[in-house]
Amino acid sequence: MTRLFSHFQSSVGSKVLLALSGLGLVSYVIFHMLGNLQVFEGPHALNRYAALLREMPILLWTARVGLLGIVVLHIVLALQLSLRNHRARPIGYAVRRYRRASVASRTMAASGAVLLLFIIFHLLHLTAGIIDPSASDRLDVEGHRDVYGKIVHAFQNPLIVALYVVGQLGLGLHVNHAVSSSLQTLGLEHAALNRLFKAAGPSVALLVILGNVAIIVAVFVGIVR
Amino acid sequence: MRFTLNIWRQNGPNENGRFISYEAYDVSPRMSFLEMLDGVNQGLVANGEEPVAFEHDCREGICGSCSLVIDGIPHGPDRGITTCQLYMRRFPDGAIITIEPWRAAAFPIVKDLVVDRSALDRVMQAGGYVSVNTGGAVDGNALLIGKDQAETAMDAASCIGCGACVAACKNASAMLFVAAKVSHLALLPQGKPERTGRVTAMIEAMDREGFGSCGNQYECEAVCPKRISVRFIATLNREYRRAGIVESALPNASESPHAESV
Amino acid sequence: MITKLDSKIPSGPLESKWDRHRFSERLVSPNNKRKLTVIVVGTGLAGASAASTLGQLGYQVECFCFHDSPRRAHSIAAQGGINAAKNYQDDGDSVGRLFYDTIKGGDFRSREANVYRLAQISGQIIDQCVALGIPFAREYGGQLANRSFGGVQVSRTFYCRGQTGQQLLLGAYSALCWQIERGQVTMRPRTEMLDLIVVDGQARGIVVRDLVTGRISIHTAHVVVLATGGYSNVYYLSTNASGSNVTATYRAWKQGAAFANPCFTQIHPTAIPPSDAYQAKLTLMSESLRNDGRLWVPKMLGDIRAPRDISEGERDYFLERRYPRFGNLAPRDIASRAVKAVCDEGRGVGPNGHGVYLDFAGVVEQQGLDVVSERYGNLFEMYHRITGEDAYHAPMRIYPAPHYTMGGLWVDYNLMSTIPGLFVIGEANFADHGANRLGASSLMQGLGDGYFILPYTIGHYLATAKLPPVTEDHAEAREAHHRVLNRMARLLAAKGRRTAASFHRKLGSLLWNYCGMSRNETGLKLALSSIPTLREEFWRDVVVPGTGDSFNQELEYAGRVADYLEFAELLCHDAWHRQESCGAHFREEYQTGDGEPKRDDARFSHVAAWEYREGASPILHKEPLAFEFVQPTTRSYQ
């Protein structure tokens, strides 16, 4: 067991953990998006869905604590690796030209940081309701908490919309490189499937951005009200 | 043709370096990049000045000695070649060309454009071999190896150890080098017996030498003079994961996979 | 003082000489091996395979190379392949045939016993290389693939695409890595040997310069092995790496090791022609191209039409015309001379008329572009990069270039030089290739020496020789150290105006013109009188910038050029002495009416081993070549 542990401490092992935690978070993001898309089915559906989640507090809190753990692990590993990478080249080049590296891959640290700030903001804003207390916790006609109303209220503010769209772009940029990169780190490589693996990152990123931004924009332009 | 060269000059590993500008006159488009530098150096030597130190030997792209970052790209603007195979016809007349050494903590500068790449040798010494004694090998045809398998192993084995992958990587990672070595032997039956220990030992050595981690940006593949594919990095990752699982099941495995009782 | 050359060839039938010799050799017990130290200089195929095998046997090995890594030795550049008498193709090959082809290819100027031994162990070399994980080309069924090479009519060449030397070297290097990891070999890269330490007539150490710090230090051992390659770079332009040099073997010569047949220098027929004066090296196009390519020049003098506009009838396929039986696969020396002959007639193509066509139109038409590109793609690409021309659609232009040196330090059957305790392996010794080496044989010889011959014979020497302890403080060691220091000081004191390269270039063109592909009395005399003058000019007018206690590439290079300037004289001297044409050595005075070489077995069936004398002409010692098993015949490929 100690051997296995030491295996994960190497640069390659850390990358495997980073990839696994990252893929876990991406799965959550997709799940989260699918849930929120119920906003298009009207307040009834979304609020019932939110209530359903709250009816299982053990599961909810396990998921929250688990997610937090994964996020912390992901960030700690990323910082560790960045530090190692920074030490690996103390003096940089005067002229630097990239031939292959995508913008997404070169900005992982930046997009990661944007994403982290956005997540904190998002939690304070919609989950904890600290940033905009005016919209917190009214009940709908069925007696459920009015999550739908909260969303509609939030995205009528252009500033909030702008912040969320930026956050989604950060998320997309990060996921764009992350998914394909994780598959490579996990050693998934096969002549017949490589195209699929390569397309996975951009596809997931696009999907997540489209889904989430659709909600925001729909509210803002008044399709959802 | 004539060029202005901005060349990194540094006297020794612990000294400060800086760019110095040189003019290269009377350059023929048929000259190789190194022959152009030879010309500049001949001028310097004739004036009693120290020539620009750079590494070179076979000058046909196989020894892996030459190692220049030209205008921000290791081995220069062409693909699939070493610096010695780059010709001046590739540059517009009058161009300003910046020449830097490989930059990585694991490759300390010896002088000017010459770096110490012995870290790669130490990674090899950690396990990049099949430990068979000389003599007593079975007949070469006793081991049947499919053509495709042999060709794939050869794709990996063609690495010339120049270190351009490290130089190009944002993180100065040596993953493509280690991947080529590990994959070459992992793909062949001869390498199977030591497969587990080899990959663990080589990754440990790679980390010890201070190379960075792989960011899967594939700059390495883009500058590799032998066009070694990054899919070997996936192979390396697989081999490493497999080793982790296999080794954790070995109760009496010694700490160092290649340790011997003396 | 060399009294008599004793080749120590065992008696008895050819087939069992080596077996019986190995049985009669004394062994070193495992306990004693641990106490014995071996210095190996050079890490090419011969050096790396020897150092790793000796380490594996239990000796303490100290291994030196001037490169930053042992993996960069010039063996890495060998393209074509490695021969072995495996007869996997069932095309009539055998140990006997490989032996005969090699002896005949060398124009009956090599030792029967050595060549036979090499043919015998050739199969083992392949097995060993496969065991090390070398990815040889395979057939679809998984068996090893073969191809044919110049000078033979069977397919016995094993290969790894066009990178055979690289793969074989990386295999030997990986074995070396293992022994370094085990602590059996201490590797000292970026260290150049500058002198040999001889104590009481035995080689006991070397003096080296650390190329990074400039420190000059003494290393002693029980025995010294030189594997420092050949000296083709004496011609300035050659296919060798820019670092390849004669210094180690030349310094050993000055300490008493005889130098054998220095005039046997191989000029390879298929290199890319030189284009300008600035050129630093010539690039070889693998001999394997001659399997499918056809050499030709226009029949008409001064025909400057594009090659495709010259019709079949107006072309002279000169190799096929002159050597119908072997055609384009004639051995290297013969092909090179034939190229020179047509160029001398003024029918050469390209700038300066230095070139002939190597044409693939036929094979492209018959077998398709894909087949040609699979077989030679990397070579065509290399050609395109250097010349900017596309060989798929117009013929290549090629011209001969110095490539390999059959001459080297004289060694006996045990690979020991005339200095006891100094063993010489690989291209550095005078080898088994006689007056001409066949393609794909140098890799075989380098690995044969290192893996399978030296490890046996060195043991016998160590088991029988009396070897009192020698430390760095020994008078002879100090003396050698002084010699090196003085020479360094002399080089650094030179503050003239001309670069070492300018002298090297001048020496090279002198040798190429007068001691190159063909030689004659007048030219050699001229060269012999010009070289000392050039040498004097060098010491008077060379400039070496920088200091001795730092990384100084110009100092390294100037030292090597200084040695070339002395060694070139020995080379020309030997060429002058050998008044016959044999193999790569072609004396214009000795040829038949149709320009074929005329060998003189009555006067020159010997190895010419030269002994150094200070301030005087070298002394010639002859080792007669006895042919008990084959009859020297006129070497005909017609």
Side-chain angles (χ1 to χ4, degrees):
Chain A
M1 201 59 207
T2 49
R3 281 194 150 261
L4 195 62
F5 183 70
S6 73
H7 224 67
F8 282 119
Q9 285 187 317
S10 73
S11 63
V12 179
S14 313
K15 288 272 305 172
V16 170
L17 293 180
L18 189 72
L20 288 174
S21 57
L23 287 178
L25 294 172
V26 169
S27 318
Y28 170 74
V29 164
I30 296 173
F31 175 76
H32 183 61
M33 176 195 74
L34 290 176
N36 284 350
L37 279 176
Q38 297 180 61
V39 79
F40 289 106
E41 292 187 23
H44 177 67
L46 185 70
N47 289 348
R48 268 223 354 228
Y49 166 69
L52 187 75
L53 293 179
R54 288 196 173 249
E55 276 166 21
M56 304 175 283
I58 298 178
L59 212 66
L60 181 71
W61 280 102
T62 313
R64 282 180 170 174
V65 172
L67 266 178
L68 185 68
I70 294 176
V71 168
V72 170
L73 177 71
H74 193 75
I75 293 172
V76 168
L77 286 170
L79 287 176
Q80 249 177 21
L81 284 166
S82 299
L83 190 67
R84 154 182 285 279
N85 295 339
H86 185 73
R87 284 196 194 124
R89 176 168 296 133
I91 303 170
Y93 293 102
V95 182
R96 188 81 174 91
R97 236 183 277 171
Y98 290 95
R99 322 198 76 154
R100 173 88 180 265
S102 61
V103 174
S105 74
R106 279 150 49 188
T107 49
M108 285 303 272
S111 61
V114 167
L115 197 54
L116 179 64
L117 291 176
F118 170 71
I119 291 169
I120 294 169
F121 172 79
H122 174 58
L123 289 176
L124 294 176
H125 175 224
L126 283 182
T127 310
I130 292 171
I131 290 175
D132 185 6
S134 68
S136 61
D137 292 343
R138 276 174 303 185
L139 295 183
D140 70 358
V141 283
E142 290 178 31
H144 294 132
R145 292 184 345 148
D146 189 11
V147 177
Y148 183 89
K150 200 154 81 171
I151 290 177
V152 171
H153 172 77
F155 296 133
Q156 276 163 0
N157 179 347
L159 187 68
I160 296 286
V161 168
L163 279 171
Y164 269 74
V165 170
V166 168
Q168 290 313 302
L169 291 179
L171 174 67
L173 202 62
H174 203 72
V175 167
N176 179 26
H177 178 65
V179 174
S180 300
S181 173
S182 299
L183 297 177
Q184 167 89 353
T185 300
L186 296 175
L188 292 175
E189 177 271 324
H190 187 279
L193 299 175
N194 278 347
R195 277 187 159 180
L196 192 73
F197 294 152
K198 230 172 151 181
S203 314
V204 172
L206 197 67
L207 189 79
V208 170
I209 292 182
L210 283 181
N212 286 340
V213 171
I215 299 169
I216 301 165
V217 172
V219 172
F220 189 63
V221 301
I223 297 173
V224 170
R225 60 177 96 193
Chain B
M1 303 172 93
R2 60 174 291 175
F3 299 97
T4 305
L5 310 173
N6 283 323
I7 303 180
W8 181 262
R9 304 229 42 184
Q10 181 172 340
N11 256 329
N14 301 319
E15 305 198 29
N16 288 328
R18 66 202 170 105
F19 282 99
I20 296 186
S21 182
Y22 298 92
E23 295 293 315
Y25 304 101
D26 295 330
V27 177
S28 147
R30 282 176 302 181
M31 270 185 180
S32 76
F33 197 83
L34 296 188
E35 283 164 352
M36 183 275 296
L37 279 183
D38 286 341
V40 172
N41 274 346
Q42 288 296 299
L44 289 175
V45 174
N47 287 329
E49 289 173 54
E50 280 208 58
V52 178
F54 64 92
E55 207 123 41
H56 60 94
D57 198 37
C58 78
R59 299 215 180 193
E60 52 185 75
I62 194 77
C63 75
S65 292
C66 55
S67 45
L68 304 179
V69 174
I70 299 164
D71 283 340
I73 303 175
H75 291 311
D78 279 341
R79 281 176 191 258
I81 60 163
T82 54
T83 304
C84 64
Q85 296 173 297
L86 177 64
Y87 283 78
M88 294 317 291
R89 66 172 86 89
R90 184 66 176 71
F91 295 87
D93 194 6
I96 299 168
I97 304 171
T98 304
I99 310 173
E100 295 178 78
W102 279 183
R103 293 210 185 270
F107 292 166
I109 289 181
V110 174
K111 186 174 183 178
D112 297 343
L113 304 168
V114 177
V115 297
D116 177 0
R117 284 169 286 187
S118 52
L120 298 181
D121 286 315
R122 289 188 292 274
V123 172
M124 280 296 285
Q125 287 154 20
Y129 44 79
V130 178
S131 37
V132 290
N133 283 348
T134 303
V138 295
D139 187 89
N141 263 350
L143 216 56
L144 294 181
I145 301 170
K147 187 180 166 83
D148 291 342
Q149 195 185 347
E151 292 295 318
T152 312
M154 180 65 207
D155 286 340
S158 61
C159 166
I160 60 174
C162 64
C165 47
V166 177
C169 177
K170 186 170 75 99
N171 304 336
S173 166
M175 280 289 273
L176 189 62
F177 172 81
V178 179
K181 297 296 163 191
V182 167
S183 304
H184 158 213
L185 293 176
L187 283 160
L188 294 173
Q190 297 95 309
K192 292 282 191 282
E194 293 166 289
R195 188 178 167 192
T196 308
R198 174 180 305 117
V199 64
T200 311
M202 288 182 80
I203 293 283
E204 277 172 11
M206 178 185 91
D207 284 354
R208 210 163 41 232
E209 294 294 338
F211 292 106
S213 72
C214 178
N216 296 327
Q217 298 187 319
Y218 310 148
E219 278 297 307
C220 49
E221 182 187 87
V223 301
C224 176
K226 295 297 156 193
R227 300 173 195 258
I228 290 172
S229 165
V230 289
R231 70 197 183 84
F232 291 122
I233 294 183
T235 309
L236 171 65
N237 287 329
R238 255 192 334 263
E239 285 292 310
Y240 188 71
R241 205 184 52 212
R242 179 191 165 277
I245 295 164
V246 173
E247 275 182 348
S248 60
L250 300 174
N252 295 324
S254 77
E255 274 306 303
S256 160
H258 288 277
E260 295 182 36
S261 50
V262 180
Chain C
M1 223 30 198
I2 303 164
T3 45
K4 186 174 166 289
L5 295 173
D6 181 2
S7 60
K8 301 212 176 78
I9 293 173
S11 57
L14 195 57
E15 294 80 6
S16 56
K17 277 183 199 285
W18 178 230
D19 277 348
R20 278 181 294 112
H21 187 66
R22 276 193 298 171
F23 180 64
S24 64
E25 297 270 84
R26 295 268 300 274
L27 299 174
V28 182
S29 79
N31 281 338
N32 286 339
K33 278 182 187 147
R34 232 175 276 159
K35 298 175 210 149
L36 292 167
T37 51
V38 182
I39 282 175
V40 178
V41 188
T43 56
L45 286 182
S49 58
S52 65
T53 306
L54 293 171
Q56 166 211 315
L57 288 173
Y59 298 106
Q60 285 299 326
V61 181
E62 200 173 8
C63 189
F64 298 81
C65 73
F66 66 75
H67 292 98
D68 66 324
S69 160
R71 64 173 294 147
R72 305 214 195 279
H74 191 56
S75 304
I76 204 141
Q79 297 169 352
I82 175 166
N83 286 334
K86 282 284 200 185
N87 194 28
Y88 281 159
Q89 306 303 320
D90 202 23
D91 55 357
D93 201 5
S94 64
V95 168
R97 191 173 293 275
L98 174 55
F99 158 71
Y100 185 74
D101 283 343
T102 309
I103 281 268
K104 180 190 170 195
D107 214 355
F108 304 95
R109 288 293 173 266
S110 42
R111 287 189 199 130
E112 280 181 330
N114 284 49
V115 176
Y116 197 86
R117 174 175 65 184
L118 184 58
Q120 275 177 316
I121 60 175
S122 64
Q124 256 182 296
I125 298 171
I126 299 299
D127 301 339
Q128 179 64 27
C129 289
V130 170
L132 283 169
I134 288 166
F136 281 119
R138 299 267 173 172
E139 304 290 358
Y140 282 103
Q143 295 196 318
L144 289 157
N146 288 117
R147 62 180 166 205
S148 56
F149 241 65
V152 298
Q153 290 169 311
V154 293
S155 282
R156 63 159 74 103
T157 304
F158 296 79
Y159 62 97
C160 307
R161 295 189 191 150
Q163 289 140 268
T164 318
Q166 181 204 22
Q167 292 308 311
L168 296 180
L169 181 63
L170 291 184
Y173 159 77
S174 73
L176 185 64
C177 282
W178 180 31
Q179 299 306 325
I180 295 170
E181 171 81 358
R182 289 181 67 212
Q184 286 299 120
V185 176
T186 309
M187 187 65 224
R188 303 205 186 282
R190 289 202 201 273
T191 311
E192 184 173 29
M193 169 182 162
L194 290 177
D195 220 324
L196 181 73
I197 298 166
V198 182
V199 177
D200 299 328
Q202 292 169 321
R204 292 304 301 271
I206 57 174
V207 180
V208 300
R209 178 165 182 271
D210 181 321
L211 299 182
V212 177
T213 63
R215 206 175 88 83
I216 292 173
S217 58
I218 294 168
H219 295 260
T220 58
H222 292 98
V223 63
V224 177
V225 180
L226 293 190
T228 53
Y231 49 85
S232 288
N233 269 345
V234 71
Y235 287 97
Y236 183 66
L237 281 182
S238 83
T239 65
N240 280 191
S242 50
S244 304
N245 66 81
V246 76
T247 292
T249 46
Y250 186 71
R251 300 296 169 91
W253 183 60
K254 286 183 110 174
Q255 294 311 307
F259 210 108
N261 298 337
C263 78
F264 290 164
T265 56
Q266 181 168 74
I267 316 285
H268 196 292
T270 53
I272 299 176
S275 58
D276 265 312
Y278 53 74
Q279 195 153 348
K281 87 154 262 159
L282 297 170
T283 303
L284 184 75
M285 290 280 99
S286 169
E287 180 162 280
S288 58
L289 289 174
R290 287 200 278 141
N291 276 321
D292 288 307
R294 299 174 72 194
L295 272 74
W296 65 274
V297 287
K299 278 185 179 164
M300 199 170 71
L301 271 180
D303 192 340
I304 51 160
R305 285 177 294 169
R308 287 284 169 262
D309 297 336
I310 301 175
S311 69
E312 278 300 309
E314 295 172 291
R315 298 178 179 186
D316 177 14
Y317 293 92
F318 54 95
L319 280 179
E320 294 167 27
R321 171 173 57 80
R322 286 180 67 177
Y323 309 99
R325 212 151 53 83
F326 280 70
N328 294 298
L329 283 177
R332 291 176 177 174
D333 54 336
I334 288 175
S336 290
R337 261 196 310 278
V339 170
K340 183 179 188 309
V342 293
C343 291
D344 287 350
E345 287 168 26
R347 293 193 287 143
V349 297
N352 325 319
H354 286 162
V356 301
Y357 291 125
L358 178 59
D359 202 334
F360 294 88
V363 63
V364 169
E365 197 173 301
Q366 278 166 24
Q367 305 185 23
L369 212 59
D370 293 347
V371 175
V372 176
S373 124
E374 192 201 316
R375 233 175 259 169
Y376 307 114
N378 61 335
L379 294 167
F380 279 41
E381 197 188 310
M382 194 194 272
Y383 182 81
H384 175 71
R385 213 174 289 131
I386 294 173
T387 61
E389 292 166 24
D390 176 10
Y392 288 106
H393 298 104
M396 283 184 183
R397 283 180 301 107
I398 52 121
Y399 196 66
H403 177 59
Y404 184 88
T405 54
M406 283 72 70
L409 290 179
W410 183 90
V411 289
D412 61 17
Y413 190 68
N414 296 319
L415 304 179
M416 189 163 83
S417 71
T418 53
I419 301 175
L422 178 68
F423 288 80
V424 189
I425 56 177
E427 191 182 351
N429 71 23
F430 85 107
D432 307 337
H433 307 299
N436 174 56
R437 179 174 68 75
L438 290 181
S441 285
S442 61
L443 303 185
M444 170 172 73
Q445 185 229 337
L447 288 179
D449 285 0
Y451 280 135
F452 296 114
I453 302 174
L454 180 84
Y456 288 103
T457 58
I458 209 169
H460 178 75
Y461 172 78
L462 288 167
T464 51
K466 267 204 149 88
L467 298 162
V470 170
T471 65
E472 290 179 21
D473 298 321
H474 194 281
E476 295 291 347
R478 310 278 1 143
E479 170 67 25
H481 190 246
H482 271 285
R483 283 198 300 270
V484 172
L485 285 178
N486 286 342
R487 196 175 160 86
M488 284 290 133
R490 203 175 156 208
L491 282 167
L492 285 163
K495 291 289 174 234
R497 287 170 298 116
R498 289 172 57 192
T499 62
S502 69
F503 290 98
H504 191 185
R505 202 178 295 127
K506 208 163 170 188
L507 175 73
S509 82
L510 195 71
L511 281 182
W512 179 246
N513 290 331
Y514 300 112
C515 198
M517 263 186 289
S518 75
R519 296 131 185 211
N520 62 47
E521 173 95 19
T522 330
L524 289 169
K525 283 261 168 72
L526 183 77
L528 279 169
S529 67
S530 311
I531 294 167
T533 323
L534 191 62
R535 198 162 55 226
E536 276 164 35
E537 271 175 48
F538 173 86
W539 286 108
R540 203 173 52 233
D541 209 16
V542 74
V543 51
V544 181
T547 58
D549 58 0
S550 66
F551 187 78
N552 188 341
Q553 290 173 315
E554 197 61 20
L555 175 65
E556 296 164 29
Y557 179 58
R560 291 168 194 166
V561 173
D563 282 337
Y564 288 137
L565 283 164
E566 295 181 24
F567 173 75
E569 215 175 327
L570 176 67
L571 202 168
C572 292
H573 203 77
D574 185 47
W576 171 78
H577 144 268
R578 193 168 281 277
Q579 291 165 358
E580 63 161 350
S581 293
C582 64
H585 173 66
F586 187 76
R587 281 285 296 262
E588 289 162 13
E589 302 93 321
Y590 307 94
Q591 55 177 310
T592 62
D594 53 356
E596 296 300 324
K598 242 161 78 182
R599 214 174 59 220
D600 187 346
D601 288 343
R603 289 168 65 210
F604 289 100
S605 185
H606 63 246
V607 177
W610 300 90
E611 183 189 349
Y612 174 73
R613 265 194 316 172
E614 197 167 354
S617 297
I619 308 171
L620 174 65
H621 299 270
K622 295 178 184 174
E623 181 204 332
L625 290 168
F627 289 92
E628 294 175 55
F629 304 95
V630 297
Q631 198 52 47
T633 53
T634 303
R635 181 167 161 253
S636 167
Y637 292 91
Q638 286 176 331

